[in-house]
Amino acid sequence: MTELLANWAEWFPDLWHGLLLSLQVTALALLIGIPLGLLFALGVSSRTLPLRWLTVVVVELGRGAPALILLQYFYFGLPSAHITLTAYSAAALALAYCTGAYTSEILRGGLDAVAQGQREAAEVIGLSPLDALRFVILPQALRIAIPALLGFSIMIFQASSLCFTIALPELVSRASMIGSSTFQYMPVLVLAGLLYAALCIPAALLVGHLERRLAPERA
């Protein structure tokens, strides 16, 4: 046990830097992906048929392709089209696309859950469709969607572990490098797993708390 703790203390700084990089990629993917998901949600709900079907195709491609395939495509596939991305950029954009595709359904569900009376009230007081969306519909839709969005954010953070396949030095990649140099794969992967759990478990508890707080009151 003493030797294990000594090894963990030695490996921790390197894994910590990998964890911070994982968090950075996740944050950037969410920062790009959630607004993209809102655009997709509006596109799928559009009354313009070509726009609706185009958005549906884009969304279904993002939902149907595994995150690993998207990462490989952005990093290894785009150079064939003369678009070369760094591992960091490819990871962020691939996960952002994945985020946009999945959160579009979450946000569309939130938008559809806003009572029709709220839309009619916004129209009665003279708000334009854009202002009604910004000031009346979207705030209520986000309140409904927040727990699901936070839950999905945890999944994207966990999915960032796939970025080791494109040589991004995030947590799993650094753990793998330590394992390959020390041949102590089990201890270093256990430590990496504990670092993931130290963030994901409290985050999941927070999501559960928010779900209870934001749930509609029942008579």
Side-chain angles (χ1 to χ4, degrees):
M1 178 60 72
T2 303
E3 182 181 356
L4 175 63
L5 293 178
N7 286 335
W8 279 5
E10 179 183 352
W11 301 332
F12 182 81
D14 196 26
L15 294 183
W16 177 255
H17 288 299
L19 178 62
L20 292 179
L21 185 57
S22 297
L23 288 170
Q24 289 174 17
V25 169
T26 301
L28 185 56
L30 294 173
L31 187 64
I32 298 172
I34 291 177
L36 185 63
L38 177 59
L39 291 177
F40 287 162
L42 295 174
V44 170
S45 302
S46 173
R47 297 179 181 179
T48 305
L49 196 59
L51 176 60
R52 183 194 308 169
W53 281 110
L54 176 62
T55 308
V56 167
V57 170
V58 173
V59 167
E60 290 305 316
L61 285 174
R63 288 164 57 87
L68 180 59
I69 296 298
L70 294 177
L71 286 165
Q72 300 288 310
Y73 173 77
F74 273 81
Y75 188 65
F76 295 110
L78 287 181
S80 63
H82 307 290
I83 302 173
T84 302
L85 301 175
T86 64
Y88 184 88
S89 299
L93 292 176
L95 293 179
Y97 178 33
C98 182
T99 298
Y102 278 95
T103 59
S104 67
E105 291 302 301
I106 296 173
L107 291 167
R108 189 163 68 91
L111 291 170
D112 290 344
V114 176
Q116 182 62 30
Q118 296 291 317
R119 304 171 190 271
E120 293 172 353
E123 184 177 353
V124 166
I125 64 176
L127 292 179
S128 67
L130 180 59
D131 284 341
L133 176 66
R134 291 170 55 197
F135 300 118
V136 177
I137 301 170
L138 188 56
Q140 296 181 66
L142 287 177
R143 184 177 184 273
I144 296 168
I146 277 175
L149 290 175
L150 290 176
F152 184 78
S153 299
I154 297 173
M155 295 176 60
I156 285 295
F157 171 60
Q158 294 171 336
S160 69
S161 62
L162 297 172
C163 296
F164 85 95
T165 61
I166 59 172
L168 186 72
E170 44 71 61
L171 179 54
V172 172
S173 180
R174 289 174 183 263
S176 180
M177 287 188 290
I178 291 172
S180 64
S181 63
T182 63
F183 297 102
Q184 298 190 57
Y185 286 97
M186 179 64 75
V188 71
L189 289 175
V190 167
L191 179 56
L194 289 174
L195 290 174
Y196 275 114
L199 291 179
C200 292
I201 292 176
L205 294 175
L206 174 63
V207 170
H209 174 70
L210 286 174
E211 285 178 341
R212 292 189 294 272
R213 287 288 301 274
L214 299 177
E217 295 183 0
R218 297 182 180 179

